[in-house]
Amino acid sequence: MLAKVFSFGLLGIEAYPVEIEVDISRGLPAVMLVGLADTAIRESKERVKSAIKNSGFNWPQERITVNLAPSDIKKEGACFDLAIAMGILAASQQLNSDKLKDYHILGELSLDGSLRPSKGILPIGIAIAKSKVKSMLVSHQNAREAAIVSNICVFPVKTLREAVEFLNNPETIKPLKLDLAGLFKQNADYEVDFNEVKGQYLAKRALEVAVAGGHNVLMIGPPGSGKTMLAKRISTIMPDLTFEEALEITKIHSVTGILPAKDGIMSCRPFRLPHHTSSSVALIGGGSMPGPGEISLAHQGVLFLDELPEFHRDCLEALRQPLEDGFIRVSRATKSFVFPASFMLVCAMNPCKCGHYHGPKSSCRCSTTQIHSYRSKISGPLLDRIDIHIEVPPARYQELTSVGPAENSAQIKERVDKARSIQRERLKGERAFYNARMNHRQVRKFCALGKEENELLKMAMSELNFSARAYDKILKVSRTIADLAESQDIKAGHLSEAIQYRSLDRDFFS
Ligand SMILES: Nc1ncnc2c1ncn2[C@@H]1O[C@H](COP(=O)(O)OP(=O)(O)O)[C@@H](O)[C@H]1O
Ligand SMILES: [Mg+2]
Ligand SMILES: [Zn+2]
């Protein structure tokens, strides 16, 4: 007898429908599985067989042929197990096959017949919402993730046995419904807060400016000065995610299989901290079955590159394009994949190889040449996309022990939100949403200076030996500082603060 089961597979971060046909015919007992990748075939066969037996069903002693269509896409992963098992049970008349056509069936089986979570259930749920059959059977551990898609019915199951009983009697399981608005709000709590950072007023101010204008940042300071601590708190002062943005980042995390089961939807902006030994595939995305990399996992949040000079040069070079475009395209022979990658880049580095150049005790033992060569490891084109450099000296003892209340993230975020809304208003119809995204023409249009300010900038450019590329950056950052102050004009004070944020452009070694 022939049975047909509907399921879905993943390509990149999108889902595509897969039809699973099972035919049982007379012949020597054997299983033929076609349409999967080689290793996946073998493994799936064994899991399905054990799961069926251990759930108390019969394994048919006949010839079983399983076909996964379309056959031109090599399917990977284990999320077809449950569908294959149910197809076999239907073809051997161990379950009510009339009902199979009403559901999409997904899930990986354990040998004992229980269901395990699968990757990418959110994008699959989104695809199901657009298909004709709008119900799905899925592991209870993926159910919340799937249920954030509206207009579909998600039936959570724990075991193969439960799934079969459900088909025989659909009353046994109720579809999972989520209070989306509530969940979205409830999840929007960060575990860290800026008020935990003592002192460091200048660094915190610079980060506030950076987030307000969407500027990328580089922090330079000795080990232990709090760079990582500061970086981890940046997402807490970024504007709230919209529901659509939250859905998009949840989707990326879902296909990577790192979405916590309890969350369903991610309402916090991500913070990603890839190690400097990361490969460019891990960082940028790709692989034989292309998947998103760290830059996409950081989408709408912060990508933190600690020890910037230690990263492979080709990794840093590969960041340039996504920093410009907000997405990354990975091409394969037959298809190209696009992964969103719009993130705030935050980098940190020691001032020199030993870490103590300009340190409190000036205990640096590096030669000038060594310092130069250490700093020249960061690629110029990448540096070109970083508007703000700040020095982060170790907090003084008094600051660390002070008990005075520091400002919390919510208070800082309020000012950021206000500055962002001023920018949105000004940049309406300009294809830039915040100051950092302004092009040269827009900088000239929106960052005009008065006479006094012009003089100041001219002087700074020559006195401090700034490169020409610093010019537009200083103007953009001044614009943001003026926006935070709710000032129409860029004033001398705003400009001189922005000039402070170009540490690396200044001639350090004279
Ligand atoms: N300003 C500060 N306020 C509170 N704790 C701090 C501060 N600076 C550093 N620390 C403490 O020192 C630890 C090391 O800081 P870290 O952020 O890892 O430094 P870095 O990344 O610059 O090497 C932090 O985990 C924190 O406990
Ligand atoms: Mg650190
Ligand atoms: Zn040194």
Side-chain angles (χ1 to χ4, degrees):
M1 188 194 155
L2 182 75
K4 201 187 259 183
V5 187
F6 297 122
S7 193
F8 267 89
L10 273 183
L11 256 187
I13 54 172
E14 305 299 333
Y16 65 96
V18 172
E19 265 186 42
I20 296 164
E21 295 166 322
V22 181
D23 185 37
I24 298 188
S25 55
R26 292 240 182 113
L28 286 177
V31 191
M32 293 282 299
L33 249 166
V34 281
L36 271 174
D38 293 351
T39 46
I41 288 182
R42 245 176 290 130
E43 291 170 2
S44 193
K45 227 191 246 182
E46 295 312 318
R47 277 195 305 269
V48 167
K49 189 170 177 178
S50 298
I52 284 183
K53 286 180 168 173
N54 291 330
S55 303
F57 298 108
N58 294 321
W59 181 255
Q61 294 301 322
E62 283 161 297
R63 187 182 166 79
I64 306 173
T65 310
V66 181
N67 179 37
L68 281 78
S71 56
D72 57 339
I73 308 175
K74 278 284 174 216
K75 295 155 216 80
E76 260 195 10
C79 68
F80 304 113
D81 288 357
L82 181 63
I84 294 173
M86 298 193 60
I88 292 174
L89 293 176
S92 56
Q93 288 158 345
Q94 300 182 71
L95 65 76
N96 181 0
S97 54
D98 298 346
K99 290 282 191 314
L100 272 180
K101 62 177 189 325
D102 300 333
Y103 303 94
H104 291 284
I105 297 181
L106 288 137
E108 174 181 344
L109 284 169
S110 301
L111 302 185
D112 66 358
S114 59
L115 275 166
R116 290 227 281 243
S118 313
K119 290 180 189 175
I121 293 299
L122 175 59
I124 289 173
I126 293 170
I128 286 177
K130 293 177 195 148
S131 74
K132 219 160 67 200
V133 176
K134 296 204 192 306
S135 294
M136 73 193 291
L137 272 184
V138 71
S139 160
H140 66 114
Q141 293 173 79
N142 288 127
R144 293 175 74 80
E145 177 182 344
I148 66 177
V149 181
S150 38
N151 304 329
I152 64 171
C153 281
V154 178
F155 295 93
V157 285
K158 292 199 177 83
T159 60
L160 172 61
R161 175 118 230 143
E162 225 181 75
V164 172
E165 277 162 11
F166 170 71
L167 278 200
N168 291 336
N169 177 13
E171 300 295 298
T172 52
I173 299 174
K174 296 266 169 294
L176 177 69
K177 289 281 174 237
L178 291 181
D179 165 21
L180 270 189
L183 195 66
F184 183 55
K185 267 215 197 81
Q186 171 203 325
N187 285 353
D189 267 340
Y190 290 89
E191 282 166 5
V192 291
D193 195 289
F194 259 107
N195 64 11
E196 292 147 354
V197 182
K198 306 260 196 243
Q200 296 294 18
Y201 301 108
L202 294 178
K204 285 195 220 173
R205 163 70 185 175
L207 294 177
E208 175 179 337
V209 172
V211 174
H215 306 284
N216 298 321
V217 195
L218 170 62
M219 294 187 273
I220 307 153
S225 61
K227 302 181 295 298
T228 302
M229 191 184 188
L230 287 161
K232 282 192 173 151
R233 285 157 180 78
I234 290 176
S235 7
T236 67
I237 59 169
M238 293 171 88
D240 290 331
L241 288 170
T242 63
F243 186 75
E244 283 68 33
E245 288 168 339
L247 205 59
E248 197 179 22
I249 62 175
T250 306
K251 195 166 140 183
I252 299 168
H253 284 71
S254 165
V255 297
T256 322
I258 56 174
L259 194 67
K262 64 173 177 29
D263 281 359
I265 188 157
M266 290 176 61
S267 333
C268 286
R269 292 185 181 266
F271 172 81
R272 300 296 302 181
L273 196 169
H275 194 256
H276 58 75
T277 53
S278 300
S279 67
S280 78
V281 168
L283 206 59
I284 307 300
S288 58
M289 283 294 279
E294 287 291 338
I295 60 169
S296 297
L297 291 169
H299 180 57
Q300 302 293 4
V302 172
L303 180 72
F304 181 48
L305 303 184
D306 204 359
E307 319 258 6
L308 184 65
E310 308 294 334
F311 276 81
H312 299 298
R313 213 182 160 93
D314 52 340
C315 286
L316 298 185
E317 296 284 324
L319 282 176
R320 285 166 50 197
Q321 206 55 48
L323 277 172
E324 204 61 34
D325 300 335
F327 63 84
I328 179 80
R329 190 183 299 278
V330 178
S331 294
R332 286 292 166 274
T334 50
K335 198 174 163 18
S336 85
F337 298 82
V338 172
F339 302 121
S342 170
F343 52 88
M344 175 170 169
L345 178 67
V346 179
C347 304
M349 64 187 280
N350 291 335
C352 62
K353 184 101 187 141
C354 85
H356 299 289
Y357 179 79
H358 269 195
K361 300 189 195 87
S362 268
S363 50
C364 169
R365 274 165 298 162
C366 307
S367 68
T368 311
T369 329
Q370 278 172 322
I371 296 176
H372 267 297
S373 92
Y374 178 74
R375 292 197 178 181
S376 64
K377 281 203 238 166
I378 35 180
S379 97
L382 181 68
L383 214 49
D384 234 13
R385 300 202 164 43
I386 299 178
D387 294 346
I388 294 182
H389 318 151
I390 45 168
E391 282 161 77
V392 185
R396 284 193 299 268
Y397 179 75
Q398 298 96 300
E399 288 174 349
L400 284 177
T401 52
S402 74
V403 283
E407 246 189 336
N408 65 28
S409 294
Q411 290 167 299
I412 305 173
K413 179 170 167 292
E414 212 169 290
R415 294 192 295 267
V416 167
D417 284 339
K418 205 178 264 170
R420 282 282 179 111
S421 79
I422 293 172
Q423 295 166 60
R424 260 197 310 276
E425 194 59 32
R426 179 191 308 119
L427 295 168
K428 240 182 210 162
E430 289 281 349
R431 302 186 64 193
F433 301 107
Y434 42 81
N435 292 337
R437 301 297 297 183
M438 287 191 288
N439 59 28
H440 186 62
R441 178 189 63 78
Q442 290 160 336
V443 170
R444 286 170 56 124
K445 182 168 169 195
F446 298 117
C447 307
L449 297 179
K451 193 161 176 292
E452 181 198 345
E453 289 77 18
N454 236 327
E455 285 301 311
L456 174 65
L457 183 54
K458 220 158 94 190
M459 202 169 73
M461 292 290 294
S462 68
E463 284 291 308
L464 298 169
N465 232 346
F466 280 148
S467 62
R469 70 172 181 223
Y471 190 83
D472 272 16
K473 297 185 194 313
I474 292 174
L475 285 175
K476 285 189 214 181
V477 174
S478 316
R479 181 66 268 170
T480 303
I481 295 168
D483 290 341
L484 275 168
E486 296 176 54
S487 163
Q488 281 272 354
D489 301 322
I490 298 175
K491 306 220 171 86
H494 308 143
L495 200 53
S496 54
E497 184 180 346
I499 291 168
Q500 293 305 308
Y501 297 145
R502 297 301 300 171
S503 305
L504 272 195
D505 284 338
R506 253 175 262 146
D507 213 341
F508 255 86
F509 313 105
S510 50

